Amino acid sequence: MTYARFVAIGDSQTEGLGDGDDIIGHRGWADRLAEHLAHANPDLCYANLAVRGRQAAQIRAEQLPAALALRPDLVTVMAGMNDIIRPGFDAAKVADIVADMIAQLTAAGAHVVTMTFPDIFRLAPLARPLRPRLLDFNARIREAATRPGVTLVDTFPLDFTVDARMWSVDRLHASPTGHARFAAGVAHALGLPGSDDAWTTPLPPLPAPGALRAASGEVRWLAAFAGPWIGRRLRGRSSGDGRTAKRPLLTPLIDGDQSMSGRSSAS
């Protein structure tokens, strides 16, 4: 099947953080998937409504109505990680929000793709107490994805998805390699021409870091990423404050097309 109107909704992963930057723009797995889709249908139009920092309820309130108004035939829904890492997380409540978005989109005639989250807490020992939340949430997403008209890409069981090279230095956003692999995984799940299961091939092995190097890496990660994130939470701030969707309208892809990140309305 070919698709003509692809809309992506979600948070920073779908916006594309880790694959580019705020100067040149963020590419990301959704943009890369749009390129796969355009190979099958050069007339494809694509919108990316994702904004970094958004929780599932915000995605439903802010992005779902806009997505429905665009009358897509394909939508990717990736939401929940920003909820998992916050205090007071309720897996049932958040998964119900994602399930509701899926239900509304499929009822409107769109085919929906969603994903489970990889076991990223294996990469961040200091955050491993949050792993049971991830397990619970993923199980609920698998259940939500049993609805007709939904394709699930179950990344959690795949060991290669927690290879450090799949992730940027913040351990939360995919690297360019990771974004490319996830896009290829969705293309394969959709059965797009030219796609196959090569995206699941493990990366070449690397020697394990020594204990001292591993410990110093944890200290650097805590200072550079975890600490600032905690600081924003204490101040009631989000990385997405003042940002809007990088690609709010359905537009064709053109050669050299690279979506720019959403800017502050004041800029």
Side-chain angles (χ1 to χ4, degrees), residues 32-33 46 82 210:
R32 292 172 180 269
L33 175 61
Y46 165 51
N82 286 316

Side-chain angles (χ1 to χ4, degrees), residues 118-141:
D119 195 3
I120 61 171
F121 296 119
R122 285 169 54 184
L123 297 172
L126 294 175
R128 282 179 189 166
L130 299 179
R131 189 171 183 268
R133 297 181 174 190
L134 180 68
L135 296 174
D136 189 359
F137 183 71
N138 276 346
R140 295 173 186 274
I141 293 301

Side-chain angles (χ1 to χ4, degrees), residues 67-188:
L68 289 167
L70 293 172
R71 297 182 293 106
D73 54 16
L74 177 68
V75 183
T76 56
V77 178
M78 192 175 185
M81 182 54 72
N82 286 316
D83 299 87
I84 289 172
I85 59 180
R86 281 174 167 77
F89 171 69
D90 183 329
K93 180 179 178 180
V94 177
D96 282 349
I97 292 171
V98 177
D100 179 55
M101 289 192 282
I102 291 171
Q104 291 194 52
L105 289 162
T106 55
H111 188 88
V112 174
V113 178
T114 191
M115 299 185 192
T116 59
F117 290 113
D119 195 3
I120 61 171
F121 296 119
R122 285 169 54 184
L123 297 172
L126 294 175
R128 282 179 189 166
L130 299 179
R131 189 171 183 268
R133 297 181 174 190
L134 180 68
L135 296 174
D136 189 359
F137 183 71
N138 276 346
R140 295 173 186 274
I141 293 301
R142 291 187 188 100
E143 177 62 27
T146 60
R147 171 182 290 271
V150 182
T151 294
L152 174 70
V153 180
D154 195 356
T155 67
F156 182 86
L158 303 173
D159 283 340
F160 84 91
T161 63
V162 292
D163 186 302
R165 290 165 290 183
M166 289 281 293
W167 300 92
S168 61
V169 292
D170 66 7
R171 306 181 190 175
L172 188 60
H173 300 105
S175 66
T177 295
H179 279 289
R181 290 274 188 128
F182 293 133
V186 177
H188 180 229

Side-chain angles (χ1 to χ4, degrees), residues 17-89:
L17 267 67
D19 189 9
D21 57 40
D22 285 342
I23 303 300
I24 66 170
H26 297 277
R27 190 179 180 192
W29 68 267
D31 288 18
R32 292 172 180 269
L33 175 61
E35 294 163 10
H36 282 279
L37 292 163
H39 283 302
N41 178 13
D43 294 326
L44 174 83
C45 289
Y46 165 51
N48 189 321
L49 308 181
V51 178
R52 68 192 70 177
R54 295 301 194 258
Q55 298 177 63
Q58 293 172 305
I59 293 168
R60 180 171 64 177
E62 299 168 7
Q63 299 174 29
L64 179 63
L68 289 167
L70 293 172
R71 297 182 293 106
D73 54 16
L74 177 68
V75 183
T76 56
V77 178
M78 192 175 185
M81 182 54 72
N82 286 316
D83 299 87
I84 289 172
I85 59 180
R86 281 174 167 77
F89 171 69

